[in-house]
Structures are given as structure tokens and as C-alpha cells.
Amino acid sequence: MSLLNVNQLSVHFGDGKAPFKAVDRISYSVNKGEVLGIVGESGSGKSVSSLAIMGLIDYPGRVSAEALSFDGVDLLSLNEKQKRKIVGADVSMIFQDPMTSLNPCYTVGYQIMEALKAHQGGSKKERRERTVELLKLVGIPAPESRLDVYPHQLSGGMSQRVMIAMAIACKPRLLIADEPTTALDVTIQAQIVDLLLTLQKQENMALILITHDLALVAEAAHRIIVMYAGQVVEEGRAEEIFKRPKHPYTQALLRSLPEFAEGKSRLQSLQGVVPGKYDRPQGCLLNPRCPYATEHCRRVEPDLIQLGEGKVKCHTPLNAQGEPSNV
Ligand code: SF4
Ligand code: MG
């Protein structure tokens, strides 16, 4: 049984006949100890879908799903108290910008100890010891001396380490990391990803790594799902996605990476942006930006179909040569 099971999850905003579909019927699962990469440009619904899993979508957002379960427990049917037992403890999340997620008014030690208190209890002394242990685990030097510092006294990289310490405080079985390195310098980015992967292995924790940067998940993830405009457009084993992308959008994301663009023109990357509420095209949502779009694509939305071991949502998935083919 998979640890997290997401089946036909949608998140709509706004009322009336045409609500904005920020997430549109996405399905995926994450197994115990697995690293899943969720990739897409900003506006593709990556964060919103994770917030929905965490139960963090407020009105006017509406969440619906055929199934949304963690370790067999239906997350949508839980009341607040039951949900708090799972979310924040068994399932935990870290966000892009540590500075907006940490409370500037409280010390680092206090914030971690509060997280421990909320979910695990124990004596004050035990919580303090565990906090020092956690700071050490995430590579913060002289952890005892950091307990009483405030978030603004830390660098971006150190703050993100504190966020990670807080997120893993209750030994989650699933950690969702939403663009965990975007706000950081390049050298620090690699360290944070390494840290996440080390912790993931040590604790045999499942990890969902959300990013716009396909290169980041290249080696880290076992499987990848690619999202565009709220939909899953491709899913597969990481290696397969990198070697043989089957969706034009995945191909374009790959071609925009310097290491893949070698010898090819970077101009092959997609022009334009993900459509918003008012400019959703008919048919395939990628069609205005897709170099392979046909009349058929402009009229009819493709289904997400199984192809080999993966899935792809395109009328003419790309073949091994990277060219459109009819299936
Ligand atoms: Fe491009 Fe058509 Fe495939 Fe959409 S269905 S990705 S427009 S080729
Ligand atoms: Mg986001």
C-alpha cells in the first residue's frame, strides 16, 4: 500500500460556473521512503496541491478528491483535531522562504520546542535536549548557543536548516519540501538538498520535492511528475523522464537547462507563461506554447494515458528521437 494516495484531487477557487481550476484532477502516490519530484513552472499548481494535502486551503478555495489518504486514513473525512494528529506530525512541510515561515518574534529554540510540545509532549528538559539534537542533525554548528537567537540573526541557509529541524522534529513519515532552496544561494542550495536526502535516507522518510528546477530532482528523485496549468502532463521514473521525455512540456523544461541545451539552441525552450484564470485555451492547455500543436490540439484536450511505465497527456507523445508520434 502506498503511504500517500492522491486520486483525482482538484482545488477550485471562486464561485459560479467557471471557477479557476488551480489543481485539476491530479493523481499520484508516494511510497514509504520514496522521493517524488513534482516539477513545473510557477502557476502550475504544485504548491496548491500540496497545501490541499496539508489541509491548508481556506475559503474560497474548494478541495475535492475521489481519494486523499495517508497510510490508509482518509484525510478529507478528519475533523480538525484528528487532522492535527497526522498533519504536522506524520506529514510535515517546509516552505520556500524560511524568513516568512519562522516567527520573527520568538527564538529558534522556542519555536522548535513549541512544535515538539504540540505533537509529542515530554518534559521541558527533554524538549530542550531534543531541540539541540535536531539542530545538530541539520548541521547547525554549536547548537546549544543557537537556541536563544532570533530568526533574523541567522543567514538564509541557516534559517532553512532551522525550518527543516522544525519539520522533522516529530519524525514525519512524509516530508513535503516546497521549493526549499529557491530563496538561497546556489552553493547553499546543494547543501540543503543534500541534507534533505541524507535525512530522508536516515529516517527512511518519504519526501516530495517540489521545484521549478528539473535539474534539482534529476538525481534526487525516484519518480517525477510534471505539472502544467494545474494538471499532471507526464509521470515516470526520473531516469526515463530525463533520457526520454514524452511530453513536449517536459522536453522544453529539459532543453532550458544549460547542461541539456549543449549544442542545441536554448531558443527551443518555451515562450510565454502558464495560462491564468482568464486566458485558458481550449483543447490542450499547452497548445499556444507548444511547437507541435495541431488543429486537433486546439480543439480537444488529450487524456493522461499510460505509456510504457509512465503516463503522458499529449495527443502525439514524443518518441525516443524527441519527435511527435501517433500512439
Ligand atoms: Fe502539444 Fe498537442 Fe501534445 Fe498538447 S496535445 S502537448 S499541444 S502536441
Ligand atoms: Mg509554489
Side-chain angles (χ1 to χ4, degrees), residues 247-248 284 286-287 290 292-294 297 302 313-316:
H247 196 279
C284 174
L286 188 69
N287 87 66
C290 180
Y292 312 115
T294 63
C297 303
K313 187 179 170 70
C314 174
H315 291 304
T316 52

Side-chain angles (χ1 to χ4, degrees), residues 1-317:
M1 187 177 64
S2 48
L3 188 63
L4 176 72
N5 181 27
V6 179
N7 192 0
Q8 300 285 304
L9 172 72
S10 295
V11 183
H12 293 181
F13 288 95
D15 298 322
K17 286 197 187 90
F20 176 59
K21 297 173 184 171
V23 176
D24 189 10
R25 296 161 293 155
I26 70 166
S27 299
Y28 64 86
S29 60
V30 185
N31 296 323
K32 206 176 159 198
E34 184 181 36
V35 182
L36 174 77
I38 301 186
V39 182
E41 289 162 292
S42 87
S44 59
K46 315 179 297 286
S47 303
V48 178
S49 59
S50 303
L51 293 173
I53 292 165
M54 299 292 289
L56 294 174
I57 300 286
D58 289 328
Y59 182 82
R62 277 173 294 132
V63 178
S64 64
E66 274 178 21
L68 180 59
S69 64
F70 179 78
D71 206 11
V73 177
D74 176 11
L75 293 177
L76 292 176
S77 70
L78 300 181
N79 63 32
E80 278 310 309
K81 199 174 161 203
Q82 292 165 323
K83 205 183 288 169
R84 238 176 301 134
K85 260 189 158 169
I86 294 183
V87 172
D90 278 333
V91 187
S92 186
M93 185 161 177
I94 52 174
F95 300 91
Q96 177 169 341
D97 188 355
M99 290 309 182
T100 56
S101 312
L102 289 172
N103 190 326
C105 306
Y106 295 107
T107 63
V108 161
Y110 178 82
Q111 293 186 56
I112 300 177
M113 283 187 265
E114 278 302 294
L116 286 169
K117 190 172 161 186
H119 295 286
Q120 288 195 328
S123 72
K124 202 171 169 191
K125 184 167 169 279
E126 281 164 353
R127 288 199 294 273
R128 195 183 164 88
E129 280 167 10
R130 173 83 177 129
T131 300
V132 171
E133 206 179 281
L134 283 163
L135 291 177
K136 204 163 156 190
L137 196 65
V138 297
I140 293 188
E144 286 90 352
S145 68
R146 305 295 174 120
L147 290 177
D148 297 323
V149 306
Y150 287 87
H152 74 268
Q153 295 173 285
L154 296 170
S155 67
M158 282 297 156
S159 308
Q160 193 57 299
R161 283 173 196 267
V162 170
M163 279 302 304
I164 295 172
M166 218 150 103
I168 61 166
C170 304
K171 295 186 179 289
R173 287 187 285 157
L174 170 66
L175 177 65
I176 304 176
D178 186 5
E179 306 263 7
T181 65
T182 307
L184 307 172
D185 294 342
V186 178
T187 47
I188 311 290
Q189 284 185 8
Q191 292 173 14
I192 295 292
V193 173
D194 281 350
L195 170 64
L196 284 171
L197 293 174
T198 307
L199 293 170
Q200 179 267 324
K201 282 194 200 90
Q202 264 172 19
E203 314 283 326
N204 193 27
M205 173 177 81
L207 175 67
I208 299 181
L209 201 51
I210 300 175
T211 177
H212 63 276
D213 183 356
L214 201 43
L216 191 82
V217 290
E219 279 165 22
H222 301 123
R223 275 186 310 126
I224 291 178
I225 67 172
V226 182
M227 286 188 71
Y228 184 78
Q231 303 179 331
V232 173
V233 295
E234 182 161 6
E235 176 184 340
R237 281 193 300 118
E239 203 194 325
E240 187 68 16
I241 296 240
F242 277 88
K243 283 199 187 133
R244 279 177 291 275
K246 295 187 180 74
H247 196 279
Y249 182 62
T250 317
Q251 183 186 58
L253 286 180
L254 280 169
R255 285 183 174 173
S256 69
L257 300 175
E259 53 271 50
F260 287 87
E262 221 174 297
K264 296 175 197 140
S265 164
R266 292 283 296 275
L267 292 174
Q268 283 170 323
S269 63
L270 291 179
Q271 306 294 316
V273 293
V274 181
K277 179 173 179 173
Y278 300 107
D279 54 0
R280 294 231 152 184
Q282 244 208 312
C284 174
L285 292 178
L286 188 69
N287 87 66
R289 303 175 72 190
C290 180
Y292 312 115
T294 63
E295 254 332 291
H296 186 56
C297 303
R298 285 183 260 277
R299 277 198 326 269
V300 182
E301 183 185 338
D303 290 326
L304 183 70
I305 56 161
Q306 186 84 34
L307 193 61
E309 282 178 49
K311 288 180 183 158
V312 61
K313 187 179 170 70
C314 174
H315 291 304
T316 52

